[in-house]
């Protein structure tokens, strides 16, 4: 998720955010030991697939256009990123996204459920893990 144009006035914060709810990028989870209480290595894999940053940049451009609309312009101080910097060009937006994007997901149950593991399903509709009998 990245937060876009906003204004703080009279103790209220107004902002529009862009969130990528179906990222194309995939991360990795690896067990480091056989100890079941040891933390795994987690790599969220942000922006491994460039389509994700394209979609977030498009979302921020949509937010920029929305706050420039006359019905909202009086409630904002114009199109600025959460840091207060102006949204200048596509390169700036992409750099800012890479530097500030944060997770807003619940970090469990991230394996896709479905009927076809070739299409990315990790568990079947009963919760069974494909390729691991009895689990």
């Amino acid at each position: 998720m990245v937060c876009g144009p906003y204004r703080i006035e009279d103790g209220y914060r107004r902002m529009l955010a862009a969130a990528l709810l179906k990222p194309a990028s995939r991360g990795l989870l690896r067990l480091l030991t056989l100890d079941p209480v040891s933390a795994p290595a987690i790599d969220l894999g942000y922006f491994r697939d460039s389509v994700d940053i394209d979609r977030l940049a498009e979302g921020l451009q949509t937010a920029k256009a929305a706050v420039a609309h006359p019905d909202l312009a009086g409630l904002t101080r114009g199109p600025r990123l959460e840091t207060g910097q102006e949204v200048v060009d596509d390169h700036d937006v992409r750099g800012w996204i890479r530097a500030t994007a944060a997770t807003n997901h619940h970090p469990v149950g991230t394996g896709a459920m479905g009927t076809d593991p070739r299409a990315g399903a990790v568990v079947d509709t009963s919760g069974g893990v494909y390729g691991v009998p009895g689990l």
Side-chain angles (χ1 to χ4, degrees):
M1 178 177 77
V2 292
C3 295
Y6 77 105
R7 178 182 182 176
I8 298 174
E9 182 180 285
D10 302 330
Y12 294 97
R13 179 178 183 170
R14 298 165 185 95
M15 73 173 180
L16 295 178
L20 190 60
L21 299 180
K22 290 188 174 185
S25 299
R26 294 289 178 249
L28 300 169
L29 179 122
R30 290 184 301 119
L31 298 178
L32 299 175
T33 74
L34 295 177
D35 182 354
V37 298
S38 291
I42 301 171
D43 175 2
L44 296 176
Y46 288 159
F47 309 124
R48 276 203 178 112
D49 190 316
S50 63
V51 72
D52 291 342
I53 203 159
D54 294 341
R55 291 168 62 206
L56 282 172
E58 181 182 353
L60 284 178
Q61 293 304 323
T62 300
K64 178 181 176 181
V67 300
H69 189 277
D71 291 342
L72 290 179
L75 298 175
T76 70
R77 62 180 178 190
R80 296 181 183 276
L81 300 175
E82 189 172 16
T83 59
Q85 70 191 72
E86 291 187 37
V87 180
V88 178
D89 61 29
D90 191 55
H91 181 266
D92 290 342
V93 167
R94 289 166 186 275
W96 182 80
I97 290 170
R98 287 188 183 281
T100 64
T103 298
N104 65 344
H105 71 279
H106 191 281
V108 301
T110 57
M113 180 181 280
T115 58
D116 187 359
R118 293 171 305 208
V122 176
V123 297
D124 62 27
T125 55
S126 298
V129 178
Y130 287 112
V132 186
L135 179 61

